[in-house]
Amino acid sequence: MKAGYVALVGKPNVGKSTLMNALIGQKLSIVSKKPQTTRQSILGILTEKDYQIIFIDTPGLIEPVYKLQEEMMNFAVSAMNEADIISVIVDPIRVEDQLRDIKKKVIPNVKGKPTLCVLNKIDTIDESERNKLEKYCKQIEGIALTLAISASSGYNINVFLESILSYLPEHPPYYPDDILSDRSERFFVSELIREKIFELFFEEVPYSTAVIVREFIEREKGKTYIAVDIVVERDSQKVIIIGKNGEMLKKLGSLARKEIETFLQREIFLEMHVTVRKKWRQNESMLKQFGYVAPKQ
Ligand SMILES: Nc1nc2c(ncn2[C@@H]2O[C@H](COP(=O)(O)OP(=O)(O)OP(=O)(O)O)[C@@H](O)[C@H]2O)c(=O)[nH]1
Ligand SMILES: [Mg+2]
């Protein structure tokens, strides 16, 4: 039996979460067109007869400005420390910048562990560009293997899995075989609402918003009752989220409800309340309360 942890790291927006969902075959991590969507580490557990791979989806590697971003970086670093194998995801946009970041932010945390460079979004470039980029990746010192995939189309996902398997250590499984993630239903509910906020709102609004599930009541008959707080930093952001005559909040509720019902496989009643917590992204105790503090090394 083989089992181990694989950290998926890389710059924001390169497709780490899309890749983890493709590997697990279910949407565990939220995905958006905007960078810095993922804020915490999320496990995706793939169990087969003779192996168990635990993927760790992480926030993108950034230069932190506020405390929330510092913690996001801590999640990524702590995932690299925990992992048996490190998989660096790169996309075809501004590859030189990404490779420089890998040298600075990934290689020092590798500590001799097998490290793969995965060139994602291969569907967006032609063969000559692909060859050029693969050559770049191969030049990084400390990378054991480079391969090209498309997380959204599934191209070469199997090759990626096989490569991981070849480096996976002999070990008994860490989790029971019917567990897909370390996270609770409450967590996925709040994340799916956050995903819709990333879809519907612009500029600083999605980055200033957190979603907290206040109540989650399963009823034997009737719909599951879920009440959430949508936390923003300023009154002006609250006004934007609610929208004229409450229209935006209504739209958000209806989009989120559909996704949550698909995920939970049951009908829900979703109640949302928008509340202002000034500068929560700088506030250690609020970050802790929202689950945004990474485990200390
Ligand atoms: N064309 C194409 N788009 C992709 C591929 N993989 C991911 N994307 C898109 O890239 C965008 C970012 O994907 P995410 O999975 O959210 O990226 P991420 O690395 O998790 O981003 P952060 O959580 O912000 O660090 C989304 O719009 C995805 O649909 C791919 O293989 N091809
Ligand atoms: Mg992500």
Side-chain angles (χ1 to χ4, degrees):
M1 186 78 190
K2 287 179 160 192
Y5 287 78
V6 179
L8 304 173
V9 296
K11 292 280 268 186
N13 213 44
V14 294
K16 301 176 294 297
S17 300
T18 308
L19 175 59
M20 188 168 89
N21 293 342
L23 290 158
I24 302 300
Q26 192 179 321
K27 181 163 158 188
L28 291 177
S29 271
I30 60 168
V31 165
S32 93
K33 285 184 187 151
K34 299 185 178 86
Q36 297 185 42
T37 307
T38 305
R39 288 179 181 161
Q40 296 143 296
S41 294
I42 300 159
L43 299 187
I45 306 164
L46 181 65
T47 309
E48 293 293 345
K49 218 173 82 222
D50 47 5
Y51 66 85
Q52 181 173 72
I53 310 175
I54 303 146
F55 294 101
I56 318 174
D57 183 20
T58 64
L61 303 167
I62 45 171
E63 298 292 338
V65 175
Y66 43 88
K67 265 209 178 84
L68 169 63
Q69 288 180 322
E70 281 172 26
E71 290 300 338
M72 285 161 67
M73 270 301 287
N74 289 341
F75 274 111
V77 171
S78 128
M80 288 187 265
N81 287 330
E82 266 174 47
D84 300 291
I85 299 167
I86 294 169
S87 176
V88 196
I89 322 298
V90 174
D91 78 359
I93 304 157
R94 294 210 303 268
V95 172
E96 284 95 341
D97 287 357
Q98 295 181 67
L99 298 189
R100 206 185 43 234
D101 254 50
I102 291 169
K103 281 184 194 149
K104 198 168 131 199
K105 297 191 176 115
V106 178
I107 301 299
N109 291 301
V110 160
K111 298 176 184 126
K113 294 170 189 175
T115 303
L116 280 61
C117 185
V118 180
L119 184 55
N120 187 32
K121 306 193 189 180
I122 213 69
D123 53 295
T124 61
I125 55 173
D126 62 22
E127 200 167 326
S128 75
E129 196 173 355
R130 170 179 167 168
N131 291 337
K132 194 178 97 189
L133 297 183
E134 279 189 278
K135 219 183 260 168
Y136 270 157
C137 297
K138 281 181 185 149
Q139 284 167 5
I140 315 172
E141 212 176 311
I143 300 284
L145 186 79
T146 295
L147 72 164
I149 66 161
S150 168
S152 59
S153 80
Y155 170 78
N156 262 357
I157 296 287
N158 278 351
V159 177
F160 174 63
L161 258 182
E162 276 160 27
S163 312
I164 295 287
L165 276 175
S166 70
Y167 291 106
L168 205 65
E170 298 279 335
H171 197 280
Y174 291 88
Y175 288 88
D177 61 6
D178 57 344
I179 302 255
L180 283 186
S181 181
D182 59 330
R183 297 289 182 168
S184 64
E185 284 188 333
R186 275 177 177 245
F187 172 79
F188 291 113
V189 167
S190 71
E191 284 290 274
L192 288 171
I193 297 170
R194 223 163 53 72
E195 183 182 64
K196 298 303 152 209
I197 292 171
F198 265 76
E199 220 170 279
L200 285 180
F201 300 97
F202 299 94
E203 288 161 10
E204 89 289 3
V205 173
Y207 298 101
S208 307
T209 307
V211 178
I212 313 301
V213 176
R214 229 176 342 100
E215 284 185 90
F216 192 115
I217 304 167
E218 283 180 64
R219 297 187 170 124
E220 265 194 34
K221 281 184 200 150
K223 299 176 179 181
T224 297
Y225 171 79
I226 301 174
V228 303
D229 283 333
I230 295 175
V231 183
V232 292
E233 289 206 306
R234 286 199 294 271
D235 291 324
S236 59
Q237 295 163 345
K238 179 173 172 172
V239 170
I240 293 172
I241 297 242
I242 292 172
K244 206 173 160 197
N245 302 321
E247 273 166 21
M248 288 310 284
L249 194 61
K250 221 172 169 178
K251 197 167 170 185
L252 173 64
S254 123
L255 283 174
R257 185 176 49 74
K258 281 188 206 123
E259 282 264 348
I260 296 167
E261 288 182 339
T262 307
F263 183 84
L264 296 176
Q265 303 262 296
R266 55 184 184 266
E267 284 191 279
I268 63 158
F269 181 85
L270 181 62
E271 198 168 283
M272 296 190 300
H273 180 74
V274 188
T275 158
V276 179
R277 297 271 183 281
K278 292 216 160 63
K279 296 196 175 158
W280 68 261
R281 295 183 300 177
Q282 286 287 14
N283 184 314
E284 191 81 42
S285 82
M286 272 183 217
L287 290 176
K288 202 164 186 178
Q289 190 193 328
F290 297 171
Y292 290 144
V293 175
K296 293 285 170 286
Q297 293 303 310

